[in-house]
Amino acid sequence: DQQVKQNSPSLSVQEGRISILNCDYTNSMFDYFLWYKKYPAEGPTFLISISSIKDKNEDGRFTVFLNKSAKHLSLHIVPSQPGDSAVYFCAAREMTSYDKVIFGPGTSLSVIP
Amino acid sequence: EAGVTQFPSHSVIEKGQTVTLRCDPISGHDNLYWYRRVMGKEIKFLLHFVKESKQDESGMPNNRFLAERTGGTYSTLKVQPAELEDSGVYFCASSQLPGANNEQFFGPGTRLTVL
């Protein structure tokens, strides 16, 4: 039973435009959300996170939005660059089990020059 | 500072054989985690060590999997006997502290193929 869902397996965006990656979750016990980025033959690397008490967190070109009532979050990348091409994993942690990261299946982003 | 390293990078074995994966965490990181990604699906948690103790092994699929972390340094994950459904990429991660805001650093993974 998948608790973190990323319904778009892939996404293509032109360089300079906005990339929006979406994520939905089912577990109401999640209170901390993360995005990881993964290049081929490498492990996931932490990108940005958001606590459930916030609805937005921004770090440079990356912004994560959280809609807790809809159990939905999104990652915005503006402007998109070719080096952003990677698999992006949405992930979450439960308040009672912080060390266990629950991942979604990932969205493969291609930024076209 | 060296990152998390894993060995081997690839392993191809036949069903019924035994395979041992190794993970060396970042020096000084007491927390070590094993995860697995099967067939392009989500990355699933397997277990969590704090030093040499298993803190949470709720994600271990069955008793064919044995994880150890003798001395609280590197860890091994043994699969015996391997089955076809064990194929996937096994990631190891480490962190300095437990808790919500602590970042887990991932290794490059070991791709296991069971034929």
Side-chain angles (χ1 to χ4, degrees), chain A residues 3-111:
Chain A
Q3 300 182 72
V4 178
K5 303 179 183 185
Q6 295 176 259
N7 293 322
S8 297
S10 63
L11 176 68
S12 289
V13 172
Q14 289 285 339
E15 181 179 4
R17 306 294 288 269
I18 183 171
S19 295
I20 300 176
L21 295 92
N22 292 304
C23 174
D24 297 286
Y25 62 96
T26 58
N27 189 343
S28 58
M29 297 292 285
F30 288 153
D31 72 340
Y32 196 77
F33 302 90
L34 313 94
W35 285 91
Y36 285 82
K37 177 179 179 179
K38 184 186 175 308
Y39 291 117
E42 294 184 11
T45 55
F46 170 75
L47 185 61
I48 192 170
S49 64
I50 187 167
S51 166
S52 61
I53 61 173
K54 295 185 175 182
D55 56 16
K56 177 183 174 181
N57 187 27
E58 190 172 352
D59 184 3
R61 297 185 297 114
F62 302 90
T63 303
V64 57
F65 295 91
L66 174 63
N67 183 334
K68 205 175 171 184
S69 61
K71 293 191 174 68
H72 177 84
L73 61 157
S74 61
L75 174 68
H76 293 211
I77 306 173
V78 182
S80 301
Q81 299 174 355
D84 296 330
S85 297
V87 177
Y88 289 79
F89 291 95
C90 176
R93 285 167 149 160
E94 275 188 40
M95 58 185 73
T96 58
S97 183
Y98 280 133
D99 289 289
K100 182 190 295 186
V101 180
I102 310 297
F103 286 87
T107 295
S108 179
L109 173 66
S110 296
V111 180

Side-chain angles (χ1 to χ4, degrees), chain B residues 63-81:
Chain B
N63 58 10
R64 294 186 294 103
F65 289 75
L66 175 64
E68 294 181 321
R69 193 182 181 196
T70 307
T73 54
Y74 71 90
S75 174
T76 58
L77 179 64
K78 180 190 286 188
V79 185
Q80 179 183 29

Side-chain angles (χ1 to χ4, degrees), chain B residues 44-107:
Chain B
K44 282 193 172 181
F45 169 88
L46 296 179
L47 87 161
H48 168 210
F49 282 101
V50 178
K51 297 185 179 179
E52 67 274 9
S53 299
K54 291 175 186 174
Q55 188 73 17
D56 180 354
E57 52 183 329
S58 61
M60 294 289 266
N62 51 60
N63 58 10
R64 294 186 294 103
F65 289 75
L66 175 64
E68 294 181 321
R69 193 182 181 196
T70 307
T73 54
Y74 71 90
S75 174
T76 58
L77 179 64
K78 180 190 286 188
V79 185
Q80 179 183 29
E83 298 288 345
L84 299 178
E85 63 264 26
D86 300 332
S87 295
V89 181
Y90 289 77
F91 292 104
C92 176
S94 72
S95 67
Q96 192 166 23
L97 299 169
N101 297 316
N102 188 50
E103 181 180 348
Q104 294 183 16
F105 295 86
F106 282 78

